[in-house]
Amino acid sequence: QVQLVESGGGSVQAGGSLRLSCAVSQYPRSRYCLAWFRQVPREEREGVAAINDIDAAIYADSVKGRFAISQDIAENTLYLQMNSLKPEDTATYYCAADLSGDPCDLRDYDDFSIWGQGTPVTVSS
């Protein structure tokens, strides 16, 4: 069973950077999609970025050009590099895994069956 543990959240001023990490207990052997989502209390969870087994990445429009998702399979780690942070990026960030073999789709978080516990990010103006 794949387990996910996020780290790297914290507080930063607007314009700053953070790198989130997600430790993957066991990298999937077949097709997969790993993603970062974020959520603010009383709002819907939002897909931020996703990457699949052939390193194809997709991004939400709100983070394109600022965030970069990557994975180091040898280190069993998924990353999210966040640059030019804005106050509206403040949220709890979750990594998630979709092992169905379907293409990555950030619009439907129900496709993702495995979730980490989240790591909070606060961006002050």
Side-chain angles (χ1 to χ4, degrees):
Q1 176 74 356
V2 174
Q3 295 181 322
L4 307 172
V5 179
E6 303 95 334
S7 61
S11 297
V12 65
Q13 289 194 326
S17 298
L18 280 175
R19 188 175 78 159
L20 305 183
S21 299
C22 174
V24 183
S25 63
Q26 182 177 333
Y27 244 82
R29 294 183 178 273
S30 56
R31 292 176 60 187
Y32 63 83
C33 178
L34 296 177
W36 289 96
F37 287 79
R38 64 187 180 187
Q39 189 167 26
V40 175
R42 295 178 295 280
E43 294 187 12
E44 283 202 5
R45 197 164 291 192
E46 176 191 17
V48 175
I51 192 167
N52 65 9
D53 50 290
I54 58 171
D55 262 355
I58 58 173
Y59 297 91
D61 288 344
S62 59
V63 306
K64 277 181 183 175
R66 300 189 298 122
F67 290 12
I69 189 170
S70 63
Q71 58 186 342
D72 186 335
I73 296 175
E75 295 294 326
N76 282 8
T77 305
L78 176 73
Y79 298 101
L80 184 68
Q81 178 66 44
M82 305 187 296
N83 300 324
S84 302
L85 282 161
K86 304 175 181 179
E88 51 263 44
D89 294 319
T90 295
T92 298
Y93 284 71
Y94 301 86
C95 63
D98 174 5
L99 306 182
S100 68
D102 292 336
C104 287
D105 184 353
L106 291 172
R107 298 167 297 177
D108 188 359
Y109 58 77
D110 287 338
D111 288 344
F112 293 83
S113 59
I114 301 170
W115 292 82
Q117 83 289 350
T119 185
V121 171
T122 302
V123 184
S124 57
S125 57

